[in-house]
Amino acid sequence: MNRSTPRSPRRRPSRAPAAALLALVALGAAGCSDGNEPETGTTPGTSQSGTPTPSPTVSEEETATPMDDDARENQALLAATTVSLAQAVKAAGKDEPDARPVAVELGRSEQEAPHWTVTLAEEDGSAVARQVDAASGAVSDSPADDRPDDEPDDREERKTLLEEAETDASEAAKAATDRRPGTAVKAELEESDGTAVWQVEVVDQESFRTTAVDVDAGDGRVLREDTAD
């Protein structure tokens, strides 16, 4: 009769590592219950209580658009100008009661004070130009370079435009600045698509950028506007 070899008793795995793991978990839970729980589920930009955290502010200097050469020139012109477009028209026409303005523009030559050049036309289209000091309002004859063209075609064109125009330069400037707040620095009577139109330029008093505004010379409606880049 064969005797079987006795089996060695099966050893049970030690429970010590499991007990140690349970103890560590318990310690971790206790540490999280003392008011130092990590903030979870919060939205970026808010605290755990839901209060928005302040965002970094950007200064006006960082957001302002830099002025180009045209804007700087506009700024310098307006800083030295106290006479408005309407006042310049009135001053220039004082000695020309039958003439009507067909062009008004603020400008200056090198090393000269700002002035308005006002072109006045008679019913037959003949025209003269007057220069109005933009600070004092003093009126003088415009230099030869600023005098209007006086060929027969030029006179005929001015005559036709004046016949169609029911709105004058000052009224057109007001219509333009009502639509686009700023200072009117130019108003010129021109033909556009068969219609008499005042082409008005308005300078913004903060950015000093120029916006061109077309005003119907017949009924004073603003037709279109375009701001320089």
Side-chain angles (χ1 to χ4, degrees), residues 137-189:
V139 181
S140 60
D141 289 336
S142 290
D145 291 345
D146 290 338
R147 290 173 187 168
D149 296 331
D150 201 33
E151 297 297 326
D153 289 347
D154 300 314
R155 292 196 297 270
E156 185 62 30
E157 180 182 6
R158 286 191 289 263
K159 178 182 177 182
T160 300
L161 289 172
L162 287 173
E163 288 172 351
E164 296 180 10
E166 299 293 335
T167 301
D168 65 23
S170 299
E171 292 168 338
K174 184 179 185 307
T177 53
D178 284 345
R179 169 66 67 88
R180 176 66 65 171
T183 301
V185 297
K186 181 179 180 180
E188 186 170 4
L189 188 60

Side-chain angles (χ1 to χ4, degrees), residues 117-142:
T117 299
V118 182
T119 302
L120 302 165
E122 301 284 351
E123 287 186 2
D124 63 359
S126 60
V128 296
R130 296 287 182 263
Q131 186 168 289
V132 180
D133 189 289
S136 68
V139 181
S140 60
D141 289 336
S142 290

Side-chain angles (χ1 to χ4, degrees), residues 31-52:
C32 292
S33 63
D34 61 0
N36 297 322
E37 292 88 359
E39 295 182 5
T40 59
T42 57
T43 303
T46 61
S47 65
Q48 189 176 5
S49 63
T51 304

Side-chain angles (χ1 to χ4, degrees), residues 1-5:
M1 182 175 182
N2 295 330
R3 295 182 179 178
S4 60
T5 305

Side-chain angles (χ1 to χ4, degrees), residues 65-145:
T65 303
M67 288 194 295
D68 57 17
D69 291 342
D70 290 338
R72 281 190 287 270
E73 174 63 16
N74 287 336
Q75 183 181 34
L77 274 174
L78 295 185
T81 297
T82 58
V83 176
S84 68
L85 182 148
Q87 291 170 328
V89 168
K90 184 176 181 179
K94 187 175 181 180
D95 295 329
E96 303 286 346
D98 296 328
R100 296 167 61 188
V102 291
V104 190
E105 184 172 6
L106 178 65
R108 64 176 170 187
S109 303
E110 189 174 355
Q111 297 180 345
E112 286 187 5
H115 60 266
W116 293 96
T117 299
V118 182
T119 302
L120 302 165
E122 301 284 351
E123 287 186 2
D124 63 359
S126 60
V128 296
R130 296 287 182 263
Q131 186 168 289
V132 180
D133 189 289
S136 68
V139 181
S140 60
D141 289 336
S142 290
D145 291 345

